[in-house]
Amino acid sequence: MEQNMNEQKLIQNVIEQIKEAQLKLGAEKEVIRLYFPMASMNAILGTNYTDEQKMLAALRTNTVFDTTVLGRLKFFIHEGRFEVRVPAEGAEYVAGEIPDPPFLKAIVELFAHHHSLTIEEICACFAQFDKTYHCEKMTPGTDFDYAVYFDDAEYDAYYYCVKMEMGHTIYHRFTKEDYQMLID
């Protein structure tokens, strides 16, 4: 059974992930490979596939992915996850055409220059953009100490899960749907 897909949401997610990587590592004209668990892919696409091969076939035969702003997206299954392969022209497009989101740039720079941040320093970065951000202590066993996010997606729609361990502070960005799966 064919399912309707929110192709544009996947394309936007891929653009946002490439932009984050470029802010962290610099921009190169190179093939980009991004990996998604099936549950994440279903959440992004608004589908409910349970069979990897059926989802893969649907992605590969969807002509929307042949002519995106990133070029032709290719799909594979790699070690139980979906690989989205973006051509080098897609990385070049993101670097040249997609402006750096101000909050994302600020948080990446904060983590790049300070390896053992406190939660107060991280929250101060959020507060520079919107005083009504949320900072929640996470339940033990979730692999993270805090979740920090905005109500207003205008600043940033992701949930930043923070881990403080052995003198280092790291974050991982999750979509709202992936964050919900993480805590459930």
Side-chain angles (χ1 to χ4, degrees):
M1 178 177 133
E2 192 171 315
Q3 298 184 36
N4 290 329
M5 291 185 178
N6 188 342
E7 298 94 345
Q8 294 309 313
K9 189 172 178 185
L10 177 60
I11 294 165
Q12 185 60 39
N13 184 283
V14 168
I15 288 170
E16 291 167 356
Q17 287 194 55
I18 293 171
K19 180 52 80 173
E20 180 189 23
Q22 289 176 340
L23 284 169
K24 288 179 174 179
L25 305 171
E28 295 289 331
K29 186 177 178 181
E30 61 187 344
V31 172
I32 304 287
R33 291 171 177 83
L34 300 171
Y35 299 91
F36 299 83
M38 180 179 247
S40 296
M41 193 65 96
N42 271 321
I44 293 167
L45 292 169
T47 57
N48 58 1
Y49 285 97
T50 56
D51 183 284
E52 287 180 343
Q53 292 303 321
K54 287 182 181 178
M55 178 182 263
L56 182 63
L59 290 164
R60 286 181 168 174
T61 59
N62 188 322
T63 58
V64 171
F65 297 122
D66 291 339
T67 56
T68 75
V69 295
L70 299 170
R72 182 170 181 244
L73 302 182
K74 295 181 180 179
F75 300 91
F76 305 90
I77 295 176
H78 182 78
E79 296 180 4
R81 297 177 297 162
F82 286 88
E83 176 187 319
V84 179
R85 192 171 300 169
V86 181
E89 295 75 26
E92 185 176 47
Y93 171 82
V94 173
E97 300 297 325
I98 304 297
D100 295 345
F103 172 76
L104 181 59
K105 185 175 181 182
I107 199 80
V108 167
E109 287 177 0
L110 179 67
F111 276 83
H113 294 93
H114 305 282
H115 298 291
S116 62
L117 292 164
T118 66
I119 193 62
E120 292 79 16
E121 290 168 318
I122 296 165
C123 288
C125 184
F126 274 79
Q128 290 174 13
F129 291 86
D130 187 351
K131 301 279 188 225
T132 59
Y133 68 90
H134 297 272
C135 178
E136 300 170 356
K137 184 101 171 114
M138 294 191 71
T139 306
T142 59
D143 293 330
F144 297 99
D145 300 315
Y146 297 93
V148 191
Y149 59 94
F150 295 110
D151 278 335
D152 189 342
E154 173 188 330
Y155 301 107
D156 193 285
Y158 288 88
Y159 284 58
Y160 288 76
C161 293
V162 176
K163 178 73 173 173
M164 297 163 177
E165 186 173 64
M166 298 186 330
H168 293 285
T169 308
I170 61 163
Y171 79 85
H172 187 82
R173 280 188 340 159
F174 292 94
T175 63
K176 184 176 184 175
E177 296 86 0
D178 280 339
Y179 175 75
Q180 290 299 319
M181 285 187 270
L182 176 70
I183 62 173
D184 286 343

